[in-house]
Amino acid sequence: DIQMTQSPSSLSASVGDRVTITCQASQDISNYLNWYQQKPGKAPKLLIYDASNLETGVPSRFSGSGSGTDYSFTISSLQPEDIATYYCQQYDNLPRLTFGPGTKVDIK
Amino acid sequence: EVQLVESGGGLVQPGRSLRLSCAASGFTFDDYAMHWVRQAPGKGLEWVSGISWNSGRIAYADSVKGRFTISRDNAKNSLYLQMNSLRAEDTALYYCAKLSPVSWGQGTMVTVSS
């Protein structure tokens, strides 16, 4: 089974800061990686698919990159509405999925 | 508009069973694999089970293997999760989800407690 590690588990940054979250797979997942944002009481919202493609309607301050086993997610200028928990998810061996443990983002 | 609507959650005693349903609309249901994902209170997302479009490929998380059974009825545009031998650690919000494009339901809460 593919395992996903994600770091950091939490972070606190100022409005306008650049924030980066990393996700590492236990094997090559060929860019089959999604990034989600989840706010309390809400279902996860897709932000990035196929590692680097911005979902329609998502602000351009969100971006993703990476390949093989190593991926990253960046918020170029943190906004107050970005307070949430962010998850990576691999889908290289469907119908099996794996989520990262999540990164909680707060405003300093 | 794509809609996934889960139902069937509730309070159940340890060791008992529950069947969750997910009603799909707004897309061609039998074109897509479907998944169940859960989230325990205050915890992260955990994939539970997935099923291919024709039920030919099925997978389970180790935590539920042997106790949960996923199935689908393409004629009824519905996904199911039969949960047996429920444990306290199965307490969670259960989501129905599809990929490519991604859609999630709003979830149905399962509480396992005596």
Side-chain angles (χ1 to χ4, degrees):
Chain A
D1 292 0
I2 298 174
Q3 308 301 318
M4 303 298 291
T5 57
Q6 188 175 338
S7 61
S9 57
S10 65
L11 67 89
S12 185
S14 300
V15 173
D17 281 355
R18 183 180 184 89
V19 167
T20 298
I21 298 167
T22 62
C23 192
Q24 184 172 61
S26 58
Q27 65 189 65
D28 188 340
I29 55 171
S30 304
N31 288 6
Y32 291 119
L33 186 89
N34 288 334
W35 289 97
Y36 294 91
Q37 176 192 67
Q38 188 180 34
K39 296 183 177 181
K42 300 292 188 181
K45 175 187 176 182
L46 180 69
L47 301 180
I48 302 289
Y49 64 95
D50 293 346
S52 61
N53 293 291
L54 192 67
E55 176 73 346
T56 302
V58 173
S60 59
R61 65 179 180 273
F62 297 102
S63 65
S65 65
S67 63
T69 61
D70 297 311
Y71 299 86
S72 63
F73 169 82
T74 297
I75 307 173
S76 61
S77 177
L78 187 67
Q79 300 301 305
E81 60 266 32
D82 300 336
I83 300 307
T85 301
Y86 294 83
Y87 297 92
C88 60
Q89 174 214 47
Q90 72 80 21
Y91 49 103
D92 183 54
N93 58 336
L94 293 172
R96 186 174 295 275
L97 307 177
T98 315
F99 289 90
T103 297
K104 188 174 182 180
V105 175
D106 276 329
I107 296 286
K108 193 181 294 183
Chain B
E1 178 193 4
V2 171
Q3 280 202 318
L4 298 170
V5 180
E6 303 92 339
S7 60
L11 174 63
V12 61
Q13 293 179 327
R16 303 298 291 265
S17 299
L18 209 57
R19 189 194 196 207
L20 305 184
S21 299
C22 172
S25 61
F27 66 102
T28 305
F29 183 70
D30 56 10
D31 276 352
Y32 293 92
M34 297 295 297
H35 304 271
W36 288 101
V37 177
R38 69 185 181 183
Q39 187 168 36
K43 302 297 184 182
L45 300 169
E46 180 189 16
W47 173 80
V48 173
S49 183
I51 185 169
S52 63
W53 67 276
N54 64 351
S55 305
R57 294 182 64 195
I58 287 175
Y60 298 97
D62 288 345
S63 57
V64 307
K65 198 175 298 182
R67 300 188 298 122
F68 289 11
T69 301
I70 192 172
S71 62
R72 64 190 295 162
D73 185 336
N74 287 344
K76 295 183 178 180
N77 288 348
S78 292
L79 176 72
Y80 305 101
L81 186 68
Q82 177 68 42
M83 304 186 296
N84 298 333
S85 303
L86 283 161
R87 305 167 180 168
E89 54 264 36
D90 295 319
T91 294
L93 185 62
Y94 284 74
Y95 292 103
C96 165
K98 64 177 281 293
L99 299 183
S100 308
V102 168
S103 291
W104 291 62
Q106 288 305 302
T108 187
M109 187 68 200
V110 173
T111 303
V112 184
S113 174
S114 54

